[in-house]
C-alpha cells in the first residue's frame, strides 16, 4: 500500500488526513504509532470516519512491524472506524477495543434473574469497524476486544474480510468477530480465537456469506459460525438469510458445534470440505 501523504503518528494528524482524503487516497499510519482514542470517544463520541474509496493503512508484518495500534478503552465505542461510502479498505492495523471479557455474571443477572434486555443493554457495547455501504475490505489486521463485533456489516454487498487475526470478541449475548445485518461478504484466510461467534448474521432476507480457508483455534464461548433465524428476530418466519457457503475451514473447538443455522436459507446453503 502506497501512502498518498506523509505517515501520521497522532490522533489530530489522523483526523486531519481523513478529512482531507478523497477517493483513491491512502492514509498511512506509521507502524510504531499508537493512536489513543479513549478520551475523545468518552467525552465527544469520536468516530474515525473513512470516506468512500479511501484506504486506512499501516505496515503490519513488513520487516516484523506489528502495525500501528488504534485503540479505545471507552465501553461505548460504537464504532471506532466508520466507512462513509463504498470501496473503503482497512489494512495492516491493530484495532483494539475496550472489552475482551465474557462478562458471564452480567448476562446471568440480566436473563436468569429476569431483568431482561433493558438491564443487559445498560452496559454499553462496542464495535471496531462498521459500514452500511458496499465493498468494505478489512485485511491483514488484528482486531480484538470488541463486545458487539470487531467488523459490523450493516448493509452492502461485496465485503471482504481476509488474512486477519480476530480474537477475544466474546461478550456473552453478543461477541462477534464478523457480524452481518442485511449484507453479503466473503470471509477468507482468517485466524479466529476466543470469540462468542466468529461469524454471525441476523438472518434477514437476502443476506449471506461465504467462509473459506479460515482456522478456528479452539477457544470459543459458543458455536463458531452462525446464522440467526426468524425465531431470533420474532418476525414469524423461518428465514435464516438468503444463502451461505462454508467450505475448507478448520475447526479446533471441542464440545461446541462448529456451525449452527437457526432456520432455512431462502436460496441454498452449502457446507462442504471442512
Amino acid at each position: 500500500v502506497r501512502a498518498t501523504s506523509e505517515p501520521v503518528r497522532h490522533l489530530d494528524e489522523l483526523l486531519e488526513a481523513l478529512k482531507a482524503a478523497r477517493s483513491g487516497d491512502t492514509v498511512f499510519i506509521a507502524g510504531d504509532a499508537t493512536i489513543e482514542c479513549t478520551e475523545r470517544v468518552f467525552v465527544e463520541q469520536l468516530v474515525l470516519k473513512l470516506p468512500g474509496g479511501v484506504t486506512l493503512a499501516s505496515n503490519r508484518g513488513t520487516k516484523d512491524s506489528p502495525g500501528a495500534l488504534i485503540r479505545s478503552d471507552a465501553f461505548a465505542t460504537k464504532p471506532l472506524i466508520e466507512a462513509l461510502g463504498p470501496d473503503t479498505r482497512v489494512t495492516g492495523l491493530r484495532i483494539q477495543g475496550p472489552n475482551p471479557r465474557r462478562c458471564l455474571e452480567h448476562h446471568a443477572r440480566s436473563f436468569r434473574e429476569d431483568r431482561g434486555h433493558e438491564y443487559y443493554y445498560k452496559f454499553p457495547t462496542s464495535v471496531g469497524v462498521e459500514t452500511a455501504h458496499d465493498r468494505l475490505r478489512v485485511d491483514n489486521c488484528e482486531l480484538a476486544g470488541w463486545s458487539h463485533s470487531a467488523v459490523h456489516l450493516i448493509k452492502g454487498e461485496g465485503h471482504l474480510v481476509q488474512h486477519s487475526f480476530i480474537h477475544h470478541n466474546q461478550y456473552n449475548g453478543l461477541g462477534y468477530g464478523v457480524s452481518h445485518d442485511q449484507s453479503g461478504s466473503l470471509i477468507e484466510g482468517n485466524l479466529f480465537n476466543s470469540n462468542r461467534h466468529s461469524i454471525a448474521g441476523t438472518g434477514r432476507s437476502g443476506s449471506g456469506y461465504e467462509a473459506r480457508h479460515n482456522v478456528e483455534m479452539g477457544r470459543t464461548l459458543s458455536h463458531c459460525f452462525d446464522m440467526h433465524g426468524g425465531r431470533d428476530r420474532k418476525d414469524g418466519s423461518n428465514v435464516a438469510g438468503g444463502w451461505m457457503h462454508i467450505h475448507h475451514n478448520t475447526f479446533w473447538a471441542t464440545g461446541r458445534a462448529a456451525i449452527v443455522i437457526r432456520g432455512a436459507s431462502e436460496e441454498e446453503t452449502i457446507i462442504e470440505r471442512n
Side-chain angles (χ1 to χ4, degrees):
V1 176
R2 185 178 62 85
T4 50
S5 61
E6 289 297 313
V8 301
R9 292 183 173 275
H10 305 288
L11 178 55
D12 286 338
E13 294 175 348
L14 176 58
L15 293 172
E16 290 176 9
L18 290 173
K19 186 176 181 180
R22 299 295 180 263
S23 182
D25 289 350
T26 295
V27 176
F28 189 85
I29 307 174
D32 58 351
T34 296
I35 306 297
E36 178 59 73
C37 300
T38 301
E39 294 86 355
R40 300 273 296 266
V41 171
F42 187 86
V43 173
E44 57 190 69
Q45 295 77 54
L46 173 74
V47 177
L48 301 176
K49 297 185 176 183
L50 187 59
V54 171
T55 294
L56 179 62
S58 189
N59 63 345
R60 180 174 181 262
T62 301
K63 296 182 180 179
D64 296 324
S65 172
L69 173 63
I70 306 178
R71 68 182 310 279
S72 173
D73 280 338
F75 285 115
T77 305
K78 200 170 183 179
L80 182 59
I81 300 170
E82 179 185 9
L84 299 182
D87 300 305
T88 52
R89 183 182 180 189
V90 178
T91 183
L93 289 157
R94 292 174 292 151
I95 303 170
Q96 180 180 304
N99 189 2
R101 297 181 295 116
R102 293 181 169 186
C103 298
L104 299 176
E105 296 85 357
H106 175 65
H107 189 270
R109 279 193 301 272
S110 300
F111 300 110
R112 291 181 191 171
E113 299 177 14
D114 265 345
R115 304 187 190 200
H117 285 87
E118 182 180 355
Y119 180 86
Y120 176 76
Y121 281 107
K122 284 183 178 180
F123 189 64
T125 58
S126 57
V127 172
V129 182
E130 183 172 271
T131 189
H133 302 275
D134 292 335
R135 296 180 300 280
L136 167 68
R137 180 180 179 185
V138 177
D139 65 291
N140 187 28
C141 289
E142 180 180 357
L143 303 105
W146 300 101
S147 58
H148 183 284
S149 48
V151 179
H152 189 202
L153 307 174
I154 301 172
K155 294 181 180 179
E157 297 295 327
H159 302 303
L160 177 60
V161 180
Q162 64 179 172
H163 306 151
S164 293
F165 182 26
I166 302 173
H167 62 99
H168 286 90
N169 309 289
Q170 57 180 345
Y171 180 63
N172 199 24
L174 297 168
Y176 310 126
V178 182
S179 65
H180 305 73
D181 188 358
Q182 201 160 19
S183 57
S185 72
L186 169 61
I187 303 166
E188 66 173 354
N190 300 286
L191 184 62
F192 292 114
N193 200 33
S194 297
N195 304 302
R196 179 169 165 268
H197 301 319
S198 290
I199 307 174
T202 63
R204 296 188 194 279
S205 178
S207 61
Y209 61 83
E210 178 180 359
R212 65 188 187 193
H213 306 294
N214 301 287
V215 174
E216 279 281 352
M217 291 179 67
R219 189 170 188 267
T220 182
L221 180 58
S222 185
H223 52 274
C224 301
F225 294 0
D226 170 85
M227 184 66 82
H228 281 47
R231 285 184 296 175
D232 301 294
R233 299 185 304 275
K234 297 180 175 59
D235 63 7
S237 78
N238 192 39
V239 171
W243 60 278
M244 297 178 72
H245 189 190
I246 300 174
H247 61 103
H248 294 95
N249 302 283
T250 299
F251 298 94
W252 285 99
T254 58
R256 298 283 185 179
I259 303 161
V260 172
I261 302 168
R262 297 189 267 190
S265 61
E266 296 169 304
E267 298 175 25
E268 64 179 7
T269 294
I270 301 173
I271 301 173
E272 59 181 349
R273 300 181 181 182
N274 297 286

